[in-house]
């Protein structure tokens, strides 16, 4: 059994750690709801862009666009999202495991986030960005700049596709890594609408409009994937910190019980010694 002084020291240490994990849990919870609200607000814009692209392609059969043409190479550029900081449970390890299961080390990767950068670099992965890109500093404009090089590689037939590996936000307790294809763009088939419909005229032509909208849609898809991954990161961090706080509470209770037992044993021993001394007199 540990001494009472050692137990008091451990109890103070555990309680101090609990204060930190509880504060981090509250911060992650606030960030989670703020990021989730932004993610959901962006969905309507993304949905409108997607509907416009689908409408143009559906109403103009045979339209030719470099964004729709199948690639000639089997190599695909992958944009992978991870976090900048740790203490977010298995969030980053799940991403790394998913990358290892679905890609090879020769596949070109653009990594957004700093936590896995050095690990993947040391393991020999083909990272296109030679310096870490902070996930916390991502903006719609920076996203567009980052993926432009990958789009040009696709147009020049250096690669046969562009895809995203993000963490899908299922709910506040569940997050799942998955891959999304960006290029060649997959257009969803639209069901024919009944009744009279307004005819959409394009100036100068539908193909030019499509080619001008596609970069906007691709950039928004990447930005939306980043927002969803960041929301998943905060949810995973909140869960990790809540688990750490609960474990600290449980450990503190166990140590306090052990301390009380040691204290009671010490009191009992002192009483026994006093009684034994009085009887000797």
């Amino acid at each position: 059994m540990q001494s009472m002084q050692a137990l008091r020291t451990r109890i103070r240490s555990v309680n101090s750690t609990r204060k930190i994990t509880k504060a981090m849990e509250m911060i992650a919870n606030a960030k989670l709801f703020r990021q989730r609200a932004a993610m959901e607000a962006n969905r309507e814009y993304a949905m409108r862009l997607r509907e416009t692209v689908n409408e143009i392609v559906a109403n103009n059969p045979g339209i030719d666009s470099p964004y729709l043409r199948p690639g000639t190479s089997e190599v695909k550029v992958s944009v992978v999202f991870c976090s900048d900081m740790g203490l977010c449970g298995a969030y980053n390890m799940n991403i790394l495991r998913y990358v290892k299961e679905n890609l090879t080390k020769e596949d070109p990767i653009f990594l957004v986030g700093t936590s896995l950068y050095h690990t993947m670099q040391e393991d020999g992965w083909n990272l296109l960005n030679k310096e870490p890109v902070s996930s916390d500093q991502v903006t719609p404009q920076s996203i567009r700049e980052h993926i432009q090089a990958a789009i040009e590689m696709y147009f020049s037939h250096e690669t046969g596709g562009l895809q995203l590996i993000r963490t899908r936000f299922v709910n506040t307790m569940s997050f799942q890594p998955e891959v999304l294809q960006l290029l060649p763009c997959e257009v969803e088939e639209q069901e024919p609408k009944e009744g009279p419909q307004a005819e959409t005229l394009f100036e100068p032509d539908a193909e030019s409009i499509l080619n001008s909208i596609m970069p906007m849609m691709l950039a928004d898809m990447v930005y939306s994937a980043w927002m969803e991954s960041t929301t998943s990161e905060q949810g995973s961090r909140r869960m990790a910190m809540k688990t750490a706080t609960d474990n600290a509470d449980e450990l503190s209770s166990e140590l306090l019980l052990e301390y009380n037992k040691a204290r009671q044993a010490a009191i009992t021993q002192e009483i026994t010694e006093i009684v034994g001394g009085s009887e000797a007199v």
Side-chain angles (χ1 to χ4, degrees):
M1 181 180 292
Q2 301 182 58
S3 66
M4 293 175 60
Q5 182 178 358
L7 288 170
R8 281 197 299 267
T9 302
R10 288 196 64 190
I11 291 172
R12 284 196 297 267
S13 176
V14 170
N15 289 339
S16 178
T17 302
R18 183 197 180 282
K19 291 179 181 179
I20 297 173
T21 57
K22 184 63 177 179
M24 293 185 68
E25 177 192 347
M26 295 174 65
I27 293 172
N29 191 55
K31 288 184 176 180
L32 168 63
F33 284 101
R34 184 169 64 248
Q35 192 70 18
R36 184 178 184 181
M39 176 189 70
E40 293 175 347
N42 184 70
R43 282 178 177 171
E44 183 172 356
Y45 174 72
M47 181 182 67
R48 295 297 181 186
L49 280 177
R50 170 64 73 175
E51 288 178 351
T52 302
V53 170
N54 291 340
E55 180 183 357
I56 293 175
V57 176
N59 294 335
N60 296 272
I63 192 170
D64 185 30
S65 171
Y67 296 95
L68 303 176
R69 297 171 193 159
T72 57
S73 172
E74 295 183 358
V75 178
K76 292 185 178 182
V77 176
S78 300
V79 180
V80 180
F81 292 102
C82 66
S83 71
D84 285 344
M85 300 185 298
L87 299 178
C88 50
Y91 173 78
N92 289 311
M93 289 301 100
N94 288 338
I95 296 172
L96 184 58
R97 186 183 304 111
Y98 191 84
V99 168
K100 290 180 178 179
E101 291 174 353
N102 293 273
L103 301 178
T104 66
K105 291 187 177 182
E106 290 72 27
D107 293 328
I109 295 174
F110 185 85
L111 183 64
V112 180
T114 60
S115 62
L116 294 178
Y117 183 84
H118 295 293
T119 299
M120 297 184 69
Q121 188 181 51
E122 292 171 359
D123 287 346
W125 290 88
N126 183 16
L127 300 180
L128 295 178
N129 48 315
K130 302 308 177 184
E131 296 293 335
V133 176
S134 174
S135 176
D136 290 341
Q137 298 177 0
V138 166
T139 63
Q141 180 60 31
S142 66
I143 282 290
R144 183 171 299 183
E145 295 173 355
H146 292 327
I147 68 170
Q148 186 58 39
I151 294 176
E152 292 175 358
M153 292 174 65
Y154 177 77
F155 287 165
S156 62
H157 305 292
E158 295 179 45
T159 62
L162 174 62
Q163 62 185 13
L164 290 172
I165 295 181
R166 59 97 187 261
T167 302
R168 183 167 62 92
F169 181 83
V170 180
N171 52 52
T172 56
M173 303 287 289
S174 180
F175 325 99
Q176 182 66 43
E178 68 175 13
V179 61
L180 296 176
Q181 179 173 312
L182 294 182
L183 292 175
C185 180
E186 296 179 340
V187 180
E188 300 175 2
E189 295 185 2
Q190 290 187 325
E191 297 182 359
K193 299 179 181 179
E194 298 180 357
Q197 301 293 327
E199 181 181 2
T200 303
L201 302 178
F202 300 98
E203 182 65 30
D205 54 72
E207 184 175 325
S208 299
I209 299 298
L210 178 64
N211 290 336
S212 64
I213 292 178
M214 285 300 299
M216 298 168 54
M217 190 187 75
L218 292 177
D220 185 71
M221 289 179 67
V222 178
Y223 188 66
S224 297
W226 169 79
M227 296 183 74
E228 192 159 2
S229 294
T230 306
T231 305
S232 300
E233 174 195 344
Q234 298 302 335
S236 183
R237 180 171 289 110
R238 182 187 68 84
M239 288 178 57
M241 292 301 100
K242 184 179 186 306
T243 301
T245 301
D246 293 343
N247 290 340
D249 288 336
E250 183 178 351
L251 180 58
S252 180
S253 299
E254 293 175 357
L255 291 173
L256 184 59
L257 178 61
E258 189 174 346
Y259 173 80
N260 288 335
K261 289 180 178 179
R263 182 170 176 269
Q264 186 64 44
I267 293 174
T268 303
Q269 183 177 357
E270 290 178 4
I271 293 175
T272 303
E273 291 175 353
I274 293 173
V275 172
S278 63
E279 290 179 351
V281 173

